[in-house]
Amino acid sequence: MSSHRIALEDRYCAHNYQPLPVVLSKGLGIWLWDEDGKRYMDMMSAYSAVSFGHSHPALVEALTHQAGQLAVTSRAFYTDQLGSFLQLLCEMTGMPKALPMNSGTEAVETALKAARKWGYKVKGIPDQQAEIIVCHGNFAGRTTTIVGFSSEAQYRDGFGPFDGGFVTIPFGDAAALEAAITPRTAAFLVEPIQGEGGIIVPPDGYLAQCREICTRHDVLLICDEVQTGLGRTGRLLACDHEGIKPDGLILGKALGGGLLPVSAFLARRDVMDVFTPGDHGSTFGGNPLAAAVGHAALSLLRDGALIAAAQRLGQRLRDGLSAIQHPAICSVRGKGLLIGLELDPNIISARNFCERLMEEGVLSKETHHTVVRFAPPLIISAAEIDAALRIIEHVFATLPTPHTEDCT
């Protein structure tokens, strides 16, 4: 049956993904089951979208209750769910106003529009000349505007011509940010940790330096926390590690509780107030069903227990990975439960390593051919972390151990 399902998808679906050869049919907590009943530990949690685990009872209850009341209306009307959801979201993040969307990509597009219009209407940049600074290795989505400022050749190949107005600098280099700023600069868009880029953590103090530079030059600091936000790195927001407050904040993935696409752009008032009726919108953004689920997801984080667990168990996972001795391992990096294991492709590709993990009952995904990502649901236990480590160590034990000089 599994081969039939794979054949159907391959036949009728565009080949824009290359899934591992497993057909999943059920999920509960940190666990997934395939059609044959084999159980797998989910060490990816859909790029942080399933941060609360599969089918979390509080989230499923919120979803089913609201679906039976009112699911979708146009934003042409008020509803009894959106205001309380946005109030909680703003109170928890310390941001004054929010604009709800669906996917993380849509929230990024919203941020770009807000930054440009703020640049023209508030900062006084000449019309059509606004620039937004981004980082090499960024990943913010797949729309043509966003891939236009990607440094990954494949993401751009065949999809131009692209929108202009973006300046790319090295990630983690605050001096490069300052050097790139001109009177036309409206904003700096940055991921506190680059996820798709390979779980790249910048030097300590980087975001704080960026905050100071942006403030001094009247440039908006916009943090893309679609993947790193809402407890993933051991703080509510990854930028909380350095105690900085951005001018704009982008959230998604975990905000939908693993059940729906829910995202938001949050910003200080003068940034958000550039929007007037008709400037921007979304058919589904902020619908009652999404608002109810988003409110329930945020409520799970309010007491801080899951966030503290992400910090503690992430350290346990990083320490365990670092203790494995094998020449295929180049580095272990990350924060909280967002960890990258970089491998030497001369010994094994990250894809092949993920396939071997799958055979042993652990699901993950590679990025850039050399990095295996580990980002399990925040509800994972210490015992389950240890079980995953035993499987990972076992896979390494099955690999050849040739001498290698470095990871290239």
Side-chain angles (χ1 to χ4, degrees):
M1 180 60 74
S2 293
S3 59
H4 172 67
R5 301 287 189 198
I6 291 172
L8 274 179
E9 197 168 311
D10 283 346
R11 180 177 179 182
Y12 291 106
C13 187
H15 294 170
N16 58 321
Y17 280 89
Q18 188 181 13
L20 292 175
V22 58
V23 179
L24 302 172
S25 61
K26 178 184 173 182
L28 184 63
I30 70 158
W31 301 101
L32 292 162
W33 284 264
D34 68 15
E35 285 193 316
D36 299 320
K38 181 177 177 179
R39 190 177 74 161
Y40 302 83
M41 185 181 294
D42 185 356
M43 292 294 286
M44 185 181 169
S45 62
Y47 309 100
S48 298
V50 189
S51 281
F52 305 105
H54 298 275
S55 303
H56 191 289
L59 299 175
V60 171
E61 196 282 329
L63 176 77
T64 53
H65 174 77
Q66 188 60 41
Q69 299 294 312
L70 179 66
V72 177
T73 67
S74 167
R75 283 292 307 284
F77 314 105
Y78 290 96
T79 70
D80 62 352
Q81 297 298 314
L82 182 57
S84 57
F85 164 53
L86 297 183
Q87 179 185 13
L88 181 59
L89 181 59
C90 288
E91 289 176 349
M92 288 182 66
T93 60
M95 303 298 289
K97 302 191 82 170
L99 198 163
M101 298 298 287
N102 305 288
S103 69
T105 298
E106 289 174 285
V108 172
E109 288 276 2
T110 303
L112 297 175
K113 291 175 72 173
R116 284 174 170 169
K117 191 166 187 182
W118 175 88
Y120 299 132
K121 303 299 184 181
V122 179
K123 185 173 180 177
I125 297 172
D127 191 42
Q128 301 298 308
Q129 294 183 33
E131 294 177 344
I132 295 174
I133 299 173
V134 297
C135 290
H136 183 88
N138 71 79
F139 182 83
R142 302 284 192 175
T143 59
T144 51
T145 295
I146 291 172
V147 299
F149 61 77
S150 173
S151 55
E152 184 71 20
Q154 182 185 359
Y155 299 164
R156 298 167 58 88
D157 185 29
F159 300 121
F162 298 111
D163 190 12
F166 297 98
V167 177
T168 304
I169 63 172
F171 180 61
D173 186 342
L177 169 63
E178 179 135 37
I181 291 175
T182 74
R184 298 185 301 278
T185 306
F188 175 43
L189 174 65
V190 63
E191 300 160 85
I193 298 173
Q194 290 189 335
E196 189 72 18
I199 319 298
I200 308 299
V201 181
D204 289 343
Y206 171 65
L207 283 181
Q209 290 178 284
C210 293
R211 173 68 283 174
E212 188 279 325
I213 292 167
C214 288
T215 299
R216 182 156 38 86
H217 290 280
D218 195 21
V219 168
L220 300 177
L221 175 62
I222 301 177
C223 288
D224 177 354
E225 295 231 28
V226 171
Q227 188 168 171
T228 59
L230 303 180
R232 171 56 55 186
T233 69
R235 298 288 190 275
L236 179 67
L237 303 173
C239 55
D240 290 342
H241 286 280
E242 296 195 10
I244 66 107
K245 184 177 180 180
D247 303 302
L249 173 66
I250 306 167
L251 295 175
K253 296 195 186 298
L255 196 57
L259 299 175
L260 294 171
V262 183
S263 68
F265 170 61
L266 301 96
R268 67 191 204 199
R269 289 188 181 277
D270 66 314
V271 176
M272 201 65 81
D273 287 349
V274 302
F275 288 115
T276 60
D279 277 356
H280 192 56
S282 166
T283 298
F284 290 94
N287 68 74
L289 190 61
V293 171
H295 191 285
L298 290 170
S299 296
L300 294 175
L301 295 169
R302 275 201 279 192
D303 67 2
L306 283 176
I307 299 172
Q311 175 71 17
R312 183 179 65 256
L313 296 174
Q315 188 64 55
R316 189 185 190 100
L317 181 54
R318 285 198 307 279
D319 289 346
L321 290 170
S322 297
I324 298 173
Q325 299 297 310
H326 195 282
I329 298 176
C330 296
S331 68
V332 177
R333 54 182 181 255
K335 283 187 178 179
L337 285 171
L338 180 62
I339 299 171
L341 176 66
E342 185 176 5
L343 302 177
D344 183 348
N346 295 309
I347 298 177
I348 188 169
S349 71
R351 168 76 182 198
N352 185 240
F353 195 86
C354 288
E355 291 170 344
R356 292 178 183 231
L357 283 177
M358 180 196 73
E359 292 168 0
E360 300 296 331
V362 170
L363 293 180
S364 185
K365 176 72 169 64
E366 83 282 357
T367 184
H368 287 272
H369 310 293
T370 58
V371 179
V372 178
R373 293 179 273 206
F374 294 114
L378 306 187
I379 62 169
I380 196 169
S381 69
E384 289 161 341
I385 290 283
D386 293 344
L389 285 167
R390 287 192 294 271
I391 292 172
I392 294 166
E393 188 167 17
H394 168 73
V395 171
F396 275 114
T398 67
L399 301 183
T401 55
H403 175 72
T404 181
E405 294 296 330
D406 51 39
C407 297
T408 56

